[in-house]
């Protein structure tokens, strides 16, 4: 079942991307899905998802990104190809603390057939100014086949740069 984000955000989708109901495209647990119809390859469409939740623990963004690797590892093989902290100059609208960008290579199956995918994940945190122990973590993810990546990666970067916390969040 689709979820809602713990904070309100705004963003712009690059040209060629279309929003889709998460439950209808097999993406339960996320709040938003965008598909890139022009990239369909062997039945797989490159996509962007947005998910998020409140955290009241002391986990770092790097640890939270690691949780994603563990979760994905339950469905196949996962290799982290890049992981780095990014600061506020790259993401000025959403966070005052460093986020994490992580790239993954996934080997899984779809309908019994082997499937190789890549993901670019961005984890952003937004602290509650009244309760410092509370923070929202927003996860922005691009998933594509390796052959689709050159066509959609710049769009994902543009999308990430457009993400902003709505006033009053």
């Amino acid at each position: 079942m689709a979820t809602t984000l713990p904070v309100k955000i705004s963003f712009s989708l690059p040209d060629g991307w279309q929003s889709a109901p998460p439950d209808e495209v097999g993406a339960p647990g996320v709040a938003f899905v965008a598909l890139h119809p022009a990239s369909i390859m062997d039945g797989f469409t490159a996509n962007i998802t947005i998910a998020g939740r409140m955290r009241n623990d002391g986990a770092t963004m790097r640890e939270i990104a690691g949780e994603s690797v563990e979760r994905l590892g339950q469905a196949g093989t996962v290799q982290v190809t890049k992981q780095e902290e990014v600061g506020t100059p790259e993401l000025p609208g959403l966070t005052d603390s460093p986020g994490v960008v992580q790239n993954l290579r996934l080997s899984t199956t779809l309908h019994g057939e082997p499937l190789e995918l890549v993901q670019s994940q961005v984890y952003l945190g937004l602290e509650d100014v009244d309760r410092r122990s509370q923070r929202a973590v927003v996860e922005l993810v691009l998933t594509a086949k390796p052959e689709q990546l050159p066509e959609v990666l710049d769009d994902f970067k543009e999308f990430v740069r457009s993400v902003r916390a709505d006033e009053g969040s």
Side-chain angles (χ1 to χ4, degrees), residues 34 43 53 78 102 121 129 145 157-158 163:
R53 63 184 186 267
V78 180
Q102 148 172 295
Q121 303 176 334
V129 294
K145 294 182 93 172
K157 291 176 182 178
E158 178 183 334
V163 175

Side-chain angles (χ1 to χ4, degrees), residues 2 11 13 17-36 45-51 141:
F11 55 85
L13 282 177
W17 291 84
Q18 300 173 351
S19 63
D23 289 334
E24 290 181 22
V25 294
V30 303
F32 179 82
V33 175
L35 303 174
H36 190 260
T45 306
N47 61 82
I48 294 172
T49 59
I50 305 173
V141 178

Side-chain angles (χ1 to χ4, degrees), residues 67-165:
E67 292 170 4
S68 174
V69 173
E70 289 178 28
R71 211 170 36 251
L72 290 168
Q74 295 173 4
T77 304
V78 180
Q79 176 188 9
V80 178
T81 59
K82 173 185 172 185
Q83 186 185 73
E84 67 182 350
E85 288 189 356
V86 292
T88 57
E90 292 85 359
L91 307 161
L94 186 61
T95 181
D96 290 329
S97 60
V100 168
V101 174
Q102 148 172 295
N103 294 338
L104 308 174
R105 180 171 289 282
L106 313 165
S107 298
T108 188
T109 59
L110 180 64
H111 307 300
E113 296 294 319
L115 179 63
E116 298 293 320
L117 296 172
V118 290
Q119 278 193 347
S120 183
Q121 303 176 334
V122 178
Y123 290 87
L124 307 171
L126 188 62
E127 288 185 355
D128 185 324
V129 294
D130 297 322
R131 293 174 294 173
R132 291 283 181 199
S133 64
Q134 291 278 329
R135 67 183 160 154
V137 175
V138 176
E139 176 186 280
L140 313 170
V141 178
L142 169 68
T143 304
K145 294 182 93 172
E147 302 84 3
Q148 295 168 315
L149 193 60
E151 182 179 354
V152 297
L153 185 57
D154 285 342
D155 284 354
F156 182 64
K157 291 176 182 178
E158 178 183 334
F159 164 75
V160 169
R161 285 190 299 269
S162 78
V163 175
R164 300 285 184 262

Side-chain angles (χ1 to χ4, degrees), residues 1-60:
M1 173 188 300
T3 64
T4 58
L5 293 175
V7 292
K8 292 182 180 181
I9 62 171
S10 62
F11 55 85
S12 298
L13 282 177
D15 290 341
W17 291 84
Q18 300 173 351
S19 63
D23 289 334
E24 290 181 22
V25 294
V30 303
F32 179 82
V33 175
L35 303 174
H36 190 260
S39 71
I40 294 175
M41 181 179 283
D42 300 326
F44 186 84
T45 306
N47 61 82
I48 294 172
T49 59
I50 305 173
R53 63 184 186 267
M54 291 301 293
R55 299 285 296 239
N56 62 0
D57 59 9
T60 66

